[in-house]
Amino acid sequence: MSIMEYNGGSVIAMVGKDCVAIASDLRLGNQALSISSNFQKIFPVTDRIYLGLPGLATDVTTLRERFRYRVNMYTIKEEREIEPETFAHLVSSTLYEHRFGQYFIEPVIAGLSKTPSGGVKPFIAATDIIGCLNFAKDFVVAGTASSKLFGVAEGLWEPDLEPEDLFETISQSLLNAVDRDAFSGWGAIVHVITKDKVTTRTLKGRMD
Amino acid sequence: METSFALTGKGYVIVAADTTAARSIVKMKVDEDKIKELSSHLLMAYSGEPGDTVQFAEYVERNIRLYQIRNLYPLRPSAAASWVRRSLAESLRSRNSYTVSLLLGGYDLATHTPNLYWIDYLGTSVEVPFAAHGYGSYFALSLLDRYHDPEASLEEGLATLKRCIDEVSKRLVVSPGKYKVKIVDKDGVREVEL
């Protein structure tokens, strides 16, 4: 019995053309027993940054509260919103602070950073449970279905997808991966972040 | 073994917990009340490690009361659940942690909705339409998947609860005998006989 598989759940994030998408399943279980089919693992950090927290459910809530506090403090002190790159390092250092006595979470960050010319640049990152950052150019995965997610995403993802196509790609990747994982599933939620809006859709998956 | 159920319906939450206090294989008591009335519209069923349960439940009860005295208004169910969850999450990473499973049911007077929270000893908290703890959950949850209706009347809700209790009595080897059933709705908390 691994503590990382105690509650189950998976998150994936993907880069598109001037957009990013992040998606997760909605299951909360106690090992093989499902408790809830509406457990959120993805949280908005700013209007442009979303954070996915798959892993031990108690730490999902604890870290969510912790990041909300730290981002609020940053916003007040700096009098501006945090950038995705900075936030990724905030996540990393928060987790490394607990290097000996970890939070059992593998965070996934998806956001749009501002460029000097006034445009946006997609940003995704993931860390391990002690905060080792992984900046990827294509997609990042985490959670109990991560091995399956790698396979499907590797096959479906292509560069410069438009928001609608990116939504389709990330949705199909997630739904097909979690169907092969007993600890993930029970529906999914997908956020597509573009320059001027965030589209959130809840998907039905196989309910068995 | 210890079992507790709870379900929401149209404007109410029903919370039920068995009444046995056991130590090892011996039943020490058969009329133990394991559902605390935390405030006028808040119920908490607790189970787990004997000793921890009562200690933690009383700690929660007094703190909820203290908040009400200080602020002249009670905590809403979601706020109470957050506070209880945090207490357990902090306890988990301390030298001696509480091993307590909770079902927190309340009626939110601000939104006029019934709320139910499933909370375990790790500090996992989730809002659910129905929930169960203990060995009974393996039987009751699948029954509730089939029969639970969020728009059901109180009579229908109690009938669904009865199904759960009967199923556990029928199929579980170490099934508890008696249950205490409490309801919370717009008029507050009350106990009912099944």
Side-chain angles (χ1 to χ4, degrees):
Chain A
M1 189 202 98
S2 160
I3 197 74
M4 293 302 291
E5 275 120 53
Y6 186 76
N7 296 120
S10 305
V11 175
I12 178 171
M14 278 182 176
V15 167
K17 192 171 191 296
D18 299 322
C19 60
V20 282
I22 183 166
S24 81
D25 69 327
L26 293 170
R27 182 178 181 267
L28 173 98
N30 240 219
Q31 313 223 68
L33 177 72
S34 292
I35 300 296
S36 173
S37 50
N38 191 205
F39 183 72
Q40 301 294 335
K41 298 166 191 74
I42 300 180
F43 307 99
V45 178
T46 68
D47 294 344
R48 296 212 162 71
I49 309 172
Y50 275 69
L51 170 68
L53 298 168
L56 190 66
T58 178
D59 292 342
V60 172
T61 319
T62 305
L63 276 182
R64 192 251 126 111
E65 287 168 0
R66 219 185 165 87
F67 287 131
R68 184 174 59 191
Y69 169 75
R70 295 189 98 161
V71 168
N72 283 346
M73 292 305 284
Y74 182 97
T75 316
I76 294 164
K77 279 185 184 154
E78 296 277 327
E79 297 182 324
R80 66 186 166 89
E81 279 194 343
I82 198 166
E83 285 296 308
E85 288 83 354
T86 324
F87 179 68
H89 283 97
L90 174 71
V91 170
S92 170
S93 53
T94 305
L95 291 189
Y96 198 76
E97 274 178 17
H98 298 269
R99 170 65 179 81
F100 303 105
Q102 311 87 331
Y103 286 121
F104 298 99
I105 296 283
E106 293 176 329
V108 170
I109 302 136
L112 293 175
S113 54
K114 287 200 189 93
T115 57
S117 57
V120 289
K121 196 167 82 57
F123 174 89
I124 54 163
T127 92
D128 65 3
I129 59 167
I130 53 169
C132 176
L133 277 164
N134 163 25
F135 302 108
K137 289 189 181 67
D138 43 10
F139 55 82
V140 284
V141 298
T144 52
S146 59
S147 52
K148 294 105 183 171
L149 281 163
F150 265 123
V152 201
E154 195 77 71
L156 294 181
W157 186 86
E158 47 189 285
D160 294 326
L161 288 163
E162 294 297 329
E164 306 83 66
D165 299 327
L166 184 66
F167 166 74
E168 201 61 31
T169 308
I170 197 168
S171 302
Q172 290 299 334
S173 301
L174 184 73
L175 288 174
N176 288 289
V178 299
D179 280 352
R180 281 284 173 185
D181 181 31
F183 298 115
S184 302
W186 287 89
I189 188 160
V190 185
H191 307 271
V192 182
I193 311 165
T194 53
K195 191 169 181 289
D196 35 44
K197 70 169 192 295
V198 179
T199 318
T200 301
R201 293 188 184 91
T202 309
L203 308 176
K204 271 197 175 168
R206 278 180 59 144
M207 300 304 226
D208 59 0
Chain B
M1 297 292 270
E2 283 192 309
T3 293
S4 49
F5 313 110
L7 59 138
T8 58
K10 199 172 172 53
Y12 65 86
V13 185
I14 307 172
V15 183
D18 74 285
T19 57
T20 47
R23 197 173 154 185
S24 182
I25 54 163
V26 183
K27 276 182 188 171
M28 304 300 251
K29 197 165 181 277
V30 288
D31 58 352
E32 173 88 335
D33 185 358
K34 290 187 271 193
I35 310 174
K36 271 232 177 319
E37 289 157 27
L38 296 180
S39 70
S40 64
H41 291 80
L42 199 59
L43 286 173
M44 184 175 79
Y46 53 91
S47 56
E49 191 70 34
D52 279 8
T53 50
V54 178
Q55 191 74 21
F56 185 76
E58 285 181 359
Y59 171 71
V60 171
E61 186 184 30
R62 297 296 66 182
N63 274 98
I64 299 276
R65 182 82 188 104
L66 177 64
Y67 185 94
Q68 210 173 115
I69 293 165
R70 276 185 177 160
N71 299 285
L72 305 173
Y73 60 86
L75 275 178
R76 288 166 63 180
S78 61
S82 293
W83 188 86
V84 173
R85 190 211 80 81
R86 183 170 268 258
S87 301
L88 281 170
E90 281 171 2
S91 149
L92 182 73
R93 285 187 158 84
S94 72
R95 176 121 23 136
N96 277 107
S97 61
Y98 288 113
T99 313
V100 190
S101 310
L102 305 166
L103 294 174
L104 200 76
Y107 186 82
D108 194 330
L109 290 165
T111 59
H112 303 288
T113 48
N115 293 145
L116 173 63
Y117 293 87
W118 181 94
I119 303 172
D120 74 358
Y121 76 100
L122 297 167
T124 312
S125 171
V126 61
E127 203 197 338
V128 283
F130 51 82
H133 272 302
Y135 281 119
S137 67
Y138 293 98
F139 304 93
L141 286 179
S142 44
L143 253 163
L144 286 162
D145 274 331
R146 175 66 183 80
Y147 293 108
H148 178 261
D149 175 10
E151 292 298 307
S153 67
L154 185 57
E155 289 69 37
E156 290 171 301
L158 285 167
T160 308
L161 177 73
K162 187 87 176 28
R163 273 183 189 274
C164 293
I165 291 173
D166 289 347
E167 186 66 16
V168 171
S169 307
K170 188 178 177 186
R171 294 290 174 185
L172 186 64
V173 177
V174 281
S175 63
K178 271 176 61 196
Y179 289 85
K180 214 174 239 312
V181 183
K182 293 187 185 180
I183 296 167
V184 55
D185 58 13
K186 64 178 186 350
D187 305 318
V189 297
R190 66 176 183 281
E191 194 182 327
V192 292
E193 286 298 322
L194 213 56

